[in-house]
Amino acid sequence: MQMLADLTERQRFLLNLIVREYTETAQPVGSRNLVEKYHLDLSPATIRNEMAVLTDFGYLRQPHTSAGRIPTEEGYRYFVTHIVYQADLPEAARHTISHQFYQARQDVEQWMPLAASILARHSRAASLVTAPHAERARHKHLELISTQGRQVLMVLVLTGGEVRQQLLTLAEPVTQKRLSEAAAALNLACNGKTTEEIAALPPRADALEKDILTLILADMNRDEQRLSGEIYLDGLTNVLSEPEFLGSDDARRAIRLFEERSLLQNLLMRVMPDSSVGGVQVVIGGEGKWEELKQCSVVLARYGMPGQATGMLGVFGPTRMAYSRTIPTVRFMADLLSGLVSETIAGEENEQ
Amino acid sequence: MQMLADLTERQRFLLNLIVREYTETAQPVGSRNLVEKYHLDLSPATIRNEMAVLTDFGYLRQPHTSAGRIPTEEGYRYFVTHIVYQADLPEAARHTISHQFYQARQDVEQWMPLAASILARHSRAASLVTAPHAERARHKHLELISTQGRQVLMVLVLTGGEVRQQLLTLAEPVTQKRLSEAAAALNLACNGKTTEEIAALPPRADALEKDILTLILADMNRDEQRLSGEIYLDGLTNVLSEPEFLGSDDARRAIRLFEERSLLQNLLMRVMPDSSVGGVQVVIGGEGKWEELKQCSVVLARYGMPGQATGMLGVFGPTRMAYSRTIPTVRFMADLLSGLVSETIAGEENEQ
DNA sequence: TTTTAGCACTCTCGAAGCGAGAGTGCTAAA
DNA sequence: TTTAGCACTCTCGCTTCGAGAGTGCTAAAA
């Protein structure tokens, strides 16, 4: 078996056809069927010869002698990198999607679920979107609100429009007035500063302010290693009705990933550790490294402004996924969200 | 076929056994098996006679002649109302659960996901918990925070510790200072007032304040009809591995309910329209009324303080659900959360 | 009157057997 | 280089069949 061979134009064309046919029907594709369905100007025998070559190269395999061919993981990989990667989303789809976002442009909160829903519908698989998360966030505004007894709601607004909130329990009850004063003092001291700069400040004289500051720092740091908490999911049911998820336990187990957010976060961090924006990452069938992704594929991209605020979005489905729809959609959505994020950030800089 | 007949002690006992056996094995239960497994002091023939009676009453049925019996929906209903309804959760389980909540007592935000997780684990099915939602909420504190350009984060704290936030887009940019002033003025005017009282106030002179007030009222009203937005889910994968969800399309479709939150909200409103706290509601196999719940059952309860703040929690699974575990767990969790909510509210009243 | 032993009967389920169909690889001719 | 022809292989769906489980009924025992 040879590997990494260059394919002829015709072989590429056939591989393309076979992958598309298989992703559609979930059935091994045979030579005669292929000729008939696509009205090829070749005889089944010729196709068989080419198929034999592609099988030799490791791009196709037969579930058993005398069944049709199905793509191997390498076959999908070739298909993705050499055939479909550069494809663009059709103009009509781009238009529709842009329009949907235009309608929701005021309500930032809607962006993530909308993106997830669009991804799910277009890829007919499960989708996930994480909120954009400022990488070098600066303090913008702090608010402390007494809710009940010793419980205080801390709302922290960072540059980039990111809002964090946390419920604190203080050692003893404090009046709203006292809280407001503390917040005002801290706002004055921290305004426009990064985590490092805040950390370098001389310790606060006031005990309450000191405690709060510690919590602010912890909160700003927390999400620099981890992902921001919110992950928006959609389209799980798409994937549930696929035959591979009905039959195989392996695949079914992968769905647990989506339920346990912590597992999902972990996976995202492992697949896309760096924060560069631009490429679409495709993990096919786990590729040896991801035991839990056997029989599944993931198409991921990072969006936003590198170094400032980025998030991730992607699609999860069976290895036999419609990459030719999914990859362009993921890329387009990433670009679109990047645009929205940079508009937001630009607006903010003008403001100052 | 007679209906609504009174059962003898022994018949009740057998129905009990059969339901439990079937929920465990998912196989029709036969007379001989039952005798052997539970060492009954009766012959299979006697059991068969009793089974025939129970079948006549409509509590059991046979998938086909000469298979064992399985409970009908009426059978489950009898089991639930006459046999298992009063059962208590074992002391050990109650203790463990209380302990888990004790450990998380500071962090109110953790209550809902914790409750969902416990419900899912104990019932081995899917669970859902909605956040408690104040029914006659009073205004406690308003905060307006400029995030970026014309976007303003409104944080509204109501009595009961409920926090609502919404991102507003104003007609034109406004400074943080101006926002703080508006918030201060509104806080003064609205403090401790209910929606109705606020609505009855004379209109604000200031245009910004007037706009904000309109939004506050809308927001306070919004959730009095609908459920509060947050629904916490857990344990979906438990239910996915049940045989009825692998085989039947009906059951699989029910899972979509869990993905589309709006469908789920709708369902909850229909199943539990009133706000009385105390009972556990059990919907078995849709009971004719809920087409989308064929083959599924739902065990729901409302918790909180009626008239003040209530939420819902429950379990979703196949009709063949372990009611004898699920119902006591749901009831116990509802009581427990009710306790937590009333503590919160009591604490608040002392404060005033 | 209630319980049970015995028995005939019914139905499912898995194994085995079998033939059709789809697909392949190879060879030799176009 | 392509293709027609052919022998071969393997799956899949269908049928058959017997074992096993379970029932209902009857008549005897308690």
CSV table of all heavy atoms in Angstrom, one decimal, chain A residues 106 108 140-141 143 145 147-149 151 153 155 157 163 165 167 169 176 234-237 240 256 259 344 348 351, chain B residues 106 108 140-141 143 145 147-149 151 153 155 157 163 165 167 169 176 234-237 240 256 259 344 348 351:
chain,number,residue,atom,x,y,z
A,106,GLN,N,-29.0,44.1,17.4
A,106,GLN,CA,-29.1,44.9,18.6
A,106,GLN,C,-28.8,44.0,19.8
A,106,GLN,O,-28.2,44.4,20.8
A,106,GLN,CB,-30.5,45.6,18.8
A,106,GLN,CG,-30.8,46.6,17.8
A,106,GLN,CD,-32.2,46.2,17.2
A,106,GLN,OE1,-32.5,45.0,17.1
A,106,GLN,NE2,-32.9,47.2,16.7
A,108,VAL,N,-27.1,41.6,21.6
A,108,VAL,CA,-25.8,40.8,21.6
A,108,VAL,C,-26.0,39.4,22.2
A,108,VAL,O,-25.5,38.4,21.8
A,108,VAL,CB,-24.7,41.5,22.4
A,108,VAL,CG1,-23.4,40.7,22.3
A,108,VAL,CG2,-24.5,42.9,21.8
A,140,LYS,N,-13.4,47.7,33.4
A,140,LYS,CA,-14.2,48.8,32.9
A,140,LYS,C,-15.1,49.4,34.0
A,140,LYS,O,-15.2,50.5,34.2
A,140,LYS,CB,-15.0,48.4,31.7
A,140,LYS,CG,-15.5,49.6,30.9
A,140,LYS,CD,-15.9,49.2,29.6
A,140,LYS,CE,-16.5,50.4,28.8
A,140,LYS,NZ,-17.2,50.0,27.7
A,141,HIS,N,-15.8,48.4,34.6
A,141,HIS,CA,-16.7,48.9,35.6
A,141,HIS,C,-17.1,47.8,36.6
A,141,HIS,O,-17.3,46.6,36.2
A,141,HIS,CB,-18.0,49.4,35.0
A,141,HIS,CG,-18.9,50.2,35.9
A,141,HIS,ND1,-18.7,51.5,36.3
A,141,HIS,CD2,-20.0,49.8,36.6
A,141,HIS,CE1,-19.6,51.8,37.1
A,141,HIS,NE2,-20.4,50.8,37.3
A,143,GLU,N,-19.7,46.7,39.8
A,143,GLU,CA,-20.8,47.1,40.6
A,143,GLU,C,-21.1,46.0,41.7
A,143,GLU,O,-21.0,44.8,41.4
A,143,GLU,CB,-22.0,47.1,39.6
A,143,GLU,CG,-23.2,48.0,40.0
A,143,GLU,CD,-22.8,49.4,40.2
A,143,GLU,OE1,-22.4,50.1,39.2
A,143,GLU,OE2,-22.9,49.9,41.3
A,145,ILE,N,-23.9,44.7,44.3
A,145,ILE,CA,-25.3,44.8,44.7
A,145,ILE,C,-25.7,43.9,45.8
A,145,ILE,O,-25.6,42.7,45.6
A,145,ILE,CB,-26.2,44.5,43.4
A,145,ILE,CG1,-25.7,45.4,42.2
A,145,ILE,CG2,-27.7,44.8,43.7
A,145,ILE,CD1,-26.4,45.0,40.9
A,147,THR,N,-28.0,41.5,47.6
A,147,THR,CA,-29.2,40.8,47.3
A,147,THR,C,-29.9,40.4,48.5
A,147,THR,O,-31.1,40.6,48.6
A,147,THR,CB,-29.0,39.6,46.4
A,147,THR,OG1,-28.2,38.7,47.1
A,147,THR,CG2,-28.3,40.0,45.1
A,148,GLN,N,-29.2,39.8,49.5
A,148,GLN,CA,-29.9,39.3,50.6
A,148,GLN,C,-28.9,38.9,51.7
A,148,GLN,O,-28.0,38.1,51.4
A,148,GLN,CB,-30.7,38.1,50.1
A,148,GLN,CG,-31.6,37.5,51.2
A,148,GLN,CD,-31.0,36.3,51.8
A,148,GLN,OE1,-30.7,36.3,53.0
A,148,GLN,NE2,-30.7,35.2,51.0
A,149,GLY,N,-29.1,39.4,52.8
A,149,GLY,CA,-28.2,39.1,53.9
A,149,GLY,C,-26.7,39.3,53.6
A,149,GLY,O,-26.4,40.4,53.1
A,151,GLN,N,-25.2,38.0,51.1
A,151,GLN,CA,-25.0,37.7,49.7
A,151,GLN,C,-24.9,39.0,48.9
A,151,GLN,O,-25.8,39.8,48.9
A,151,GLN,CB,-26.0,36.8,49.2
A,151,GLN,CG,-26.0,35.5,50.0
A,151,GLN,CD,-26.6,34.3,49.3
A,151,GLN,OE1,-27.6,34.5,48.6
A,151,GLN,NE2,-25.9,33.2,49.4
A,153,LEU,N,-24.1,40.4,44.9
A,153,LEU,CA,-23.9,40.2,43.5
A,153,LEU,C,-22.8,41.1,43.0
A,153,LEU,O,-23.0,42.3,43.1
A,153,LEU,CB,-25.2,40.4,42.7
A,153,LEU,CG,-25.1,40.1,41.2
A,153,LEU,CD1,-25.0,38.6,41.0
A,153,LEU,CD2,-26.3,40.6,40.5
A,155,VAL,N,-21.0,42.4,39.7
A,155,VAL,CA,-21.0,42.5,38.3
A,155,VAL,C,-19.8,43.2,37.8
A,155,VAL,O,-19.5,44.3,38.2
A,155,VAL,CB,-22.3,43.2,37.8
A,155,VAL,CG1,-22.3,43.3,36.3
A,155,VAL,CG2,-23.5,42.6,38.3
A,157,VAL,N,-17.7,44.5,34.5
A,157,VAL,CA,-17.8,44.7,33.0
A,157,VAL,C,-16.3,44.9,32.6
A,157,VAL,O,-15.6,45.7,33.1
A,157,VAL,CB,-18.6,45.9,32.7
A,157,VAL,CG1,-18.7,46.1,31.2
A,157,VAL,CG2,-20.0,45.8,33.3
A,163,VAL,N,-19.2,40.6,30.2
A,163,VAL,CA,-19.8,40.9,31.6
A,163,VAL,C,-19.7,39.6,32.4
A,163,VAL,O,-20.1,38.5,32.0
A,163,VAL,CB,-21.3,41.2,31.5
A,163,VAL,CG1,-21.9,41.4,32.8
A,163,VAL,CG2,-21.5,42.5,30.7
A,165,GLN,N,-20.5,37.9,36.2
A,165,GLN,CA,-21.1,38.2,37.5
A,165,GLN,C,-20.9,37.0,38.4
A,165,GLN,O,-20.7,35.8,38.0
A,165,GLN,CB,-22.6,38.4,37.3
A,165,GLN,CG,-23.3,37.3,36.6
A,165,GLN,CD,-24.8,37.6,36.5
A,165,GLN,OE1,-25.3,38.1,37.5
A,165,GLN,NE2,-25.4,37.4,35.4
A,167,LEU,N,-21.9,35.6,42.5
A,167,LEU,CA,-22.6,35.8,43.8
A,167,LEU,C,-21.5,35.6,44.9
A,167,LEU,O,-21.0,34.5,45.0
A,167,LEU,CB,-23.7,34.9,43.9
A,167,LEU,CG,-24.9,35.3,44.8
A,167,LEU,CD1,-25.4,36.7,44.3
A,167,LEU,CD2,-26.0,34.3,44.7
A,169,THR,N,-20.5,35.6,49.1
A,169,THR,CA,-21.0,35.6,50.4
A,169,THR,C,-20.0,36.2,51.3
A,169,THR,O,-18.9,35.7,51.5
A,169,THR,CB,-21.3,34.1,50.9
A,169,THR,OG1,-22.2,33.6,49.9
A,169,THR,CG2,-22.0,34.1,52.3
A,176,GLN,N,-26.0,48.4,51.4
A,176,GLN,CA,-25.8,48.7,50.0
A,176,GLN,C,-25.0,50.0,49.9
A,176,GLN,O,-24.1,50.1,49.0
A,176,GLN,CB,-27.2,49.0,49.4
A,176,GLN,CG,-27.1,49.4,48.0
A,176,GLN,CD,-26.6,48.3,47.0
A,176,GLN,OE1,-27.0,47.2,47.1
A,176,GLN,NE2,-25.5,48.7,46.3
A,234,ASP,N,-26.6,23.2,20.1
A,234,ASP,CA,-27.8,23.0,19.3
A,234,ASP,C,-27.7,21.8,18.5
A,234,ASP,O,-26.6,21.3,18.2
A,234,ASP,CB,-28.1,24.3,18.5
A,234,ASP,CG,-29.6,24.4,18.2
A,234,ASP,OD1,-30.3,23.4,18.3
A,234,ASP,OD2,-30.0,25.5,17.8
A,235,GLY,N,-28.8,21.3,18.0
A,235,GLY,CA,-28.9,20.3,17.0
A,235,GLY,C,-28.5,18.9,17.5
A,235,GLY,O,-28.2,18.0,16.7
A,236,LEU,N,-28.5,18.7,18.8
A,236,LEU,CA,-28.1,17.3,19.3
A,236,LEU,C,-29.0,16.3,18.6
A,236,LEU,O,-28.6,15.2,18.3
A,236,LEU,CB,-28.3,17.3,20.8
A,236,LEU,CG,-27.0,17.0,21.5
A,236,LEU,CD1,-27.3,16.8,23.0
A,236,LEU,CD2,-26.2,15.9,20.9
A,237,THR,N,-30.3,16.6,18.5
A,237,THR,CA,-31.2,15.6,17.9
A,237,THR,C,-30.9,15.2,16.5
A,237,THR,O,-31.2,14.1,16.0
A,237,THR,CB,-32.7,16.1,18.0
A,237,THR,OG1,-32.7,17.4,17.6
A,237,THR,CG2,-33.2,15.9,19.4
A,240,LEU,N,-28.6,12.5,16.8
A,240,LEU,CA,-29.1,11.3,17.4
A,240,LEU,C,-29.8,10.3,16.4
A,240,LEU,O,-29.9,9.1,16.6
A,240,LEU,CB,-30.2,11.7,18.5
A,240,LEU,CG,-29.6,12.1,19.8
A,240,LEU,CD1,-30.7,12.5,20.7
A,240,LEU,CD2,-28.8,11.0,20.4
A,256,ARG,N,-22.1,12.0,25.4
A,256,ARG,CA,-22.0,12.4,26.8
A,256,ARG,C,-21.1,13.6,26.9
A,256,ARG,O,-21.3,14.4,27.8
A,256,ARG,CB,-21.4,11.2,27.6
A,256,ARG,CG,-21.3,11.5,29.1
A,256,ARG,CD,-20.8,10.3,29.8
A,256,ARG,NE,-21.7,9.1,29.6
A,256,ARG,CZ,-22.7,8.9,30.5
A,256,ARG,NH1,-22.9,9.7,31.5
A,256,ARG,NH2,-23.5,7.9,30.3
A,259,GLU,N,-23.1,16.6,27.2
A,259,GLU,CA,-23.8,16.8,28.4
A,259,GLU,C,-22.9,17.3,29.5
A,259,GLU,O,-23.3,18.2,30.2
A,259,GLU,CB,-24.5,15.5,28.9
A,259,GLU,CG,-25.6,15.8,29.8
A,259,GLU,CD,-26.5,14.6,30.1
A,259,GLU,OE1,-26.0,13.5,29.9
A,259,GLU,OE2,-27.6,14.8,30.5
A,344,THR,N,-17.6,45.6,17.6
A,344,THR,CA,-17.8,46.0,19.0
A,344,THR,C,-16.6,46.6,19.6
A,344,THR,O,-16.7,47.6,20.3
A,344,THR,CB,-18.2,44.7,19.8
A,344,THR,OG1,-19.2,44.0,19.1
A,344,THR,CG2,-18.6,45.0,21.2
A,348,GLU,N,-15.8,50.6,20.9
A,348,GLU,CA,-15.3,50.8,22.2
A,348,GLU,C,-14.1,51.8,22.2
A,348,GLU,O,-14.0,52.6,23.1
A,348,GLU,CB,-14.9,49.5,22.9
A,348,GLU,CG,-14.8,49.6,24.3
A,348,GLU,CD,-14.9,48.2,24.8
A,348,GLU,OE1,-13.9,47.4,24.7
A,348,GLU,OE2,-15.9,47.8,25.4
A,351,GLU,N,-14.9,55.3,21.7
A,351,GLU,CA,-15.6,55.8,22.8
A,351,GLU,C,-14.6,56.5,23.8
A,351,GLU,O,-14.9,57.5,24.4
A,351,GLU,CB,-16.2,54.6,23.6
A,351,GLU,CG,-17.3,54.9,24.5
A,351,GLU,CD,-17.8,53.6,25.1
A,351,GLU,OE1,-17.9,52.6,24.3
A,351,GLU,OE2,-18.0,53.6,26.3
B,106,GLN,N,-23.5,28.1,50.3
B,106,GLN,CA,-23.2,29.5,50.1
B,106,GLN,C,-23.5,29.9,48.7
B,106,GLN,O,-23.9,31.1,48.4
B,106,GLN,CB,-21.7,29.8,50.3
B,106,GLN,CG,-21.2,29.6,51.7
B,106,GLN,CD,-20.1,28.6,51.7
B,106,GLN,OE1,-20.0,27.7,50.8
B,106,GLN,NE2,-19.2,28.7,52.7
B,108,VAL,N,-25.6,30.1,45.8
B,108,VAL,CA,-27.0,29.9,45.3
B,108,VAL,C,-27.0,29.5,43.9
B,108,VAL,O,-27.8,28.7,43.5
B,108,VAL,CB,-27.8,31.2,45.5
B,108,VAL,CG1,-29.2,31.0,45.0
B,108,VAL,CG2,-27.7,31.7,46.9
B,140,LYS,N,-36.1,45.8,44.4
B,140,LYS,CA,-35.1,45.9,45.5
B,140,LYS,C,-34.0,46.9,45.1
B,140,LYS,O,-33.6,47.7,45.8
B,140,LYS,CB,-34.6,44.6,45.9
B,140,LYS,CG,-33.9,44.6,47.2
B,140,LYS,CD,-33.7,43.3,47.8
B,140,LYS,CE,-32.9,43.4,49.1
B,140,LYS,NZ,-32.5,42.0,49.5
B,141,HIS,N,-33.5,46.6,43.9
B,141,HIS,CA,-32.3,47.5,43.5
B,141,HIS,C,-32.2,47.4,42.0
B,141,HIS,O,-32.3,46.3,41.4
B,141,HIS,CB,-31.1,47.0,44.2
B,141,HIS,CG,-29.9,47.9,44.0
B,141,HIS,ND1,-29.8,49.0,44.8
B,141,HIS,CD2,-28.9,47.9,43.2
B,141,HIS,CE1,-28.7,49.7,44.5
B,141,HIS,NE2,-28.1,49.0,43.5
B,143,GLU,N,-29.6,48.6,38.8
B,143,GLU,CA,-28.2,49.1,38.5
B,143,GLU,C,-28.1,49.2,37.0
B,143,GLU,O,-28.6,48.3,36.2
B,143,GLU,CB,-27.2,48.1,39.0
B,143,GLU,CG,-25.8,48.7,39.3
B,143,GLU,CD,-25.8,49.8,40.3
B,143,GLU,OE1,-26.2,49.5,41.5
B,143,GLU,OE2,-25.5,50.9,39.9
B,145,ILE,N,-25.4,49.7,33.9
B,145,ILE,CA,-24.0,49.7,33.6
B,145,ILE,C,-23.7,49.9,32.2
B,145,ILE,O,-24.2,49.1,31.4
B,145,ILE,CB,-23.3,48.4,34.1
B,145,ILE,CG1,-23.7,48.2,35.6
B,145,ILE,CG2,-21.9,48.4,33.9
B,145,ILE,CD1,-23.4,46.8,36.1
B,147,THR,N,-21.9,49.3,28.9
B,147,THR,CA,-20.9,48.4,28.5
B,147,THR,C,-20.1,48.9,27.3
B,147,THR,O,-18.9,48.8,27.2
B,147,THR,CB,-21.5,47.0,28.2
B,147,THR,OG1,-22.4,47.2,27.1
B,147,THR,CG2,-22.2,46.4,29.3
B,148,GLN,N,-20.8,49.4,26.3
B,148,GLN,CA,-20.2,49.8,25.1
B,148,GLN,C,-21.1,50.6,24.2
B,148,GLN,O,-22.2,50.1,24.0
B,148,GLN,CB,-19.7,48.5,24.4
B,148,GLN,CG,-18.9,48.7,23.2
B,148,GLN,CD,-19.7,48.5,21.9
B,148,GLN,OE1,-19.9,49.5,21.2
B,148,GLN,NE2,-20.3,47.4,21.7
B,149,GLY,N,-20.7,51.8,23.9
B,149,GLY,CA,-21.6,52.6,23.0
B,149,GLY,C,-22.9,52.8,23.6
B,149,GLY,O,-23.1,53.2,24.7
B,151,GLN,N,-25.0,50.5,24.3
B,151,GLN,CA,-25.5,49.3,25.0
B,151,GLN,C,-25.3,49.4,26.5
B,151,GLN,O,-24.2,49.8,27.0
B,151,GLN,CB,-24.7,48.1,24.5
B,151,GLN,CG,-25.0,47.9,23.0
B,151,GLN,CD,-24.8,46.5,22.6
B,151,GLN,OE1,-23.8,45.9,22.9
B,151,GLN,NE2,-25.7,46.0,21.7
B,153,LEU,N,-26.1,47.5,30.3
B,153,LEU,CA,-26.6,46.3,31.0
B,153,LEU,C,-27.4,46.8,32.1
B,153,LEU,O,-27.0,47.5,33.0
B,153,LEU,CB,-25.4,45.6,31.5
B,153,LEU,CG,-25.7,44.3,32.3
B,153,LEU,CD1,-26.2,43.2,31.3
B,153,LEU,CD2,-24.5,43.8,33.0
B,155,VAL,N,-29.3,45.6,35.4
B,155,VAL,CA,-29.4,44.5,36.4
B,155,VAL,C,-30.5,44.9,37.4
B,155,VAL,O,-30.4,46.0,38.0
B,155,VAL,CB,-28.1,44.3,37.2
B,155,VAL,CG1,-28.2,43.2,38.2
B,155,VAL,CG2,-26.9,44.0,36.2
B,157,VAL,N,-32.5,43.6,40.7
B,157,VAL,CA,-32.6,42.7,41.9
B,157,VAL,C,-34.0,42.8,42.5
B,157,VAL,O,-34.4,43.9,42.8
B,157,VAL,CB,-31.5,43.0,42.9
B,157,VAL,CG1,-31.6,42.0,44.0
B,157,VAL,CG2,-30.1,43.0,42.3
B,163,VAL,N,-32.4,37.7,40.4
B,163,VAL,CA,-31.7,38.7,39.7
B,163,VAL,C,-32.0,38.6,38.2
B,163,VAL,O,-31.9,37.5,37.7
B,163,VAL,CB,-30.1,38.5,39.9
B,163,VAL,CG1,-29.4,39.5,39.0
B,163,VAL,CG2,-29.8,38.7,41.3
B,165,GLN,N,-31.2,40.3,34.4
B,165,GLN,CA,-30.4,41.2,33.7
B,165,GLN,C,-30.8,41.2,32.2
B,165,GLN,O,-31.3,40.2,31.7
B,165,GLN,CB,-28.9,40.9,33.8
B,165,GLN,CG,-28.6,39.5,33.4
B,165,GLN,CD,-27.1,39.3,33.5
B,165,GLN,OE1,-26.3,40.2,33.2
B,165,GLN,NE2,-26.7,38.1,34.0
B,167,LEU,N,-29.7,43.3,28.4
B,167,LEU,CA,-28.9,44.2,27.6
B,167,LEU,C,-29.8,45.1,26.8
B,167,LEU,O,-30.5,44.7,26.0
B,167,LEU,CB,-27.9,43.4,26.7
B,167,LEU,CG,-26.6,44.1,26.4
B,167,LEU,CD1,-25.9,44.5,27.7
B,167,LEU,CD2,-25.8,43.1,25.6
B,169,THR,N,-30.4,48.5,24.3
B,169,THR,CA,-29.7,49.4,23.4
B,169,THR,C,-30.5,50.7,23.3
B,169,THR,O,-31.7,50.7,23.0
B,169,THR,CB,-29.7,48.8,21.9
B,169,THR,OG1,-29.1,47.5,22.0
B,169,THR,CG2,-28.9,49.7,21.0
B,176,GLN,N,-21.8,56.9,31.9
B,176,GLN,CA,-22.0,56.1,33.0
B,176,GLN,C,-22.6,56.9,34.2
B,176,GLN,O,-23.5,56.5,34.9
B,176,GLN,CB,-20.7,55.4,33.5
B,176,GLN,CG,-20.8,54.6,34.7
B,176,GLN,CD,-21.8,53.4,34.6
B,176,GLN,OE1,-21.6,52.6,33.7
B,176,GLN,NE2,-22.8,53.3,35.5
B,234,ASP,N,-30.3,17.7,33.1
B,234,ASP,CA,-29.2,16.8,33.3
B,234,ASP,C,-29.7,15.4,33.0
B,234,ASP,O,-30.9,15.1,32.9
B,234,ASP,CB,-28.7,16.9,34.8
B,234,ASP,CG,-27.3,16.4,34.9
B,234,ASP,OD1,-26.8,15.6,34.1
B,234,ASP,OD2,-26.6,16.8,35.9
B,235,GLY,N,-28.7,14.5,32.8
B,235,GLY,CA,-29.0,13.1,32.7
B,235,GLY,C,-29.7,12.7,31.3
B,235,GLY,O,-30.3,11.6,31.3
B,236,LEU,N,-29.6,13.5,30.3
B,236,LEU,CA,-30.2,13.1,29.1
B,236,LEU,C,-29.6,11.7,28.6
B,236,LEU,O,-30.3,10.9,28.0
B,236,LEU,CB,-29.9,14.1,28.0
B,236,LEU,CG,-31.1,14.9,27.5
B,236,LEU,CD1,-30.7,15.7,26.3
B,236,LEU,CD2,-32.2,13.9,27.0
B,237,THR,N,-28.3,11.5,28.8
B,237,THR,CA,-27.7,10.3,28.3
B,237,THR,C,-28.3,9.1,29.0
B,237,THR,O,-28.3,8.0,28.5
B,237,THR,CB,-26.2,10.3,28.5
B,237,THR,OG1,-25.9,10.9,29.8
B,237,THR,CG2,-25.6,11.2,27.4
B,240,LEU,N,-31.1,8.1,27.0
B,240,LEU,CA,-30.8,7.7,25.6
B,240,LEU,C,-30.4,6.2,25.5
B,240,LEU,O,-30.6,5.6,24.5
B,240,LEU,CB,-29.5,8.5,25.1
B,240,LEU,CG,-29.9,9.9,24.7
B,240,LEU,CD1,-28.6,10.6,24.3
B,240,LEU,CD2,-30.8,9.8,23.5
B,256,ARG,N,-36.5,15.7,21.6
B,256,ARG,CA,-36.4,17.0,21.0
B,256,ARG,C,-37.0,18.1,22.0
B,256,ARG,O,-36.5,19.2,22.0
B,256,ARG,CB,-37.2,17.0,19.7
B,256,ARG,CG,-37.0,18.3,18.9
B,256,ARG,CD,-37.7,18.2,17.6
B,256,ARG,NE,-37.1,17.2,16.8
B,256,ARG,CZ,-36.1,17.4,15.9
B,256,ARG,NH1,-35.6,18.6,15.8
B,256,ARG,NH2,-35.6,16.4,15.2
B,259,GLU,N,-34.4,19.7,23.8
B,259,GLU,CA,-33.5,20.6,23.1
B,259,GLU,C,-34.1,22.0,22.9
B,259,GLU,O,-33.5,23.0,23.0
B,259,GLU,CB,-33.1,20.0,21.8
B,259,GLU,CG,-31.8,20.6,21.2
B,259,GLU,CD,-31.2,19.9,20.1
B,259,GLU,OE1,-32.0,19.1,19.4
B,259,GLU,OE2,-30.1,20.0,19.9
B,344,THR,N,-34.2,31.8,52.5
B,344,THR,CA,-33.8,33.0,51.8
B,344,THR,C,-34.7,34.2,52.0
B,344,THR,O,-34.4,35.3,52.3
B,344,THR,CB,-33.7,32.8,50.3
B,344,THR,OG1,-32.9,31.6,50.1
B,344,THR,CG2,-33.0,33.9,49.5
B,348,GLU,N,-34.5,37.7,54.3
B,348,GLU,CA,-34.7,39.0,53.7
B,348,GLU,C,-35.6,39.9,54.5
B,348,GLU,O,-35.5,41.1,54.6
B,348,GLU,CB,-35.3,38.8,52.3
B,348,GLU,CG,-35.3,40.0,51.4
B,348,GLU,CD,-35.4,39.4,50.0
B,348,GLU,OE1,-36.6,39.1,49.7
B,348,GLU,OE2,-34.4,39.4,49.3
B,351,GLU,N,-34.1,41.4,57.5
B,351,GLU,CA,-33.2,42.5,57.1
B,351,GLU,C,-33.9,43.8,57.1
B,351,GLU,O,-33.3,44.8,57.3
B,351,GLU,CB,-32.8,42.1,55.6
B,351,GLU,CG,-31.5,42.8,55.1
B,351,GLU,CD,-31.3,42.3,53.7
B,351,GLU,OE1,-31.5,41.1,53.5
B,351,GLU,OE2,-30.9,43.1,52.9
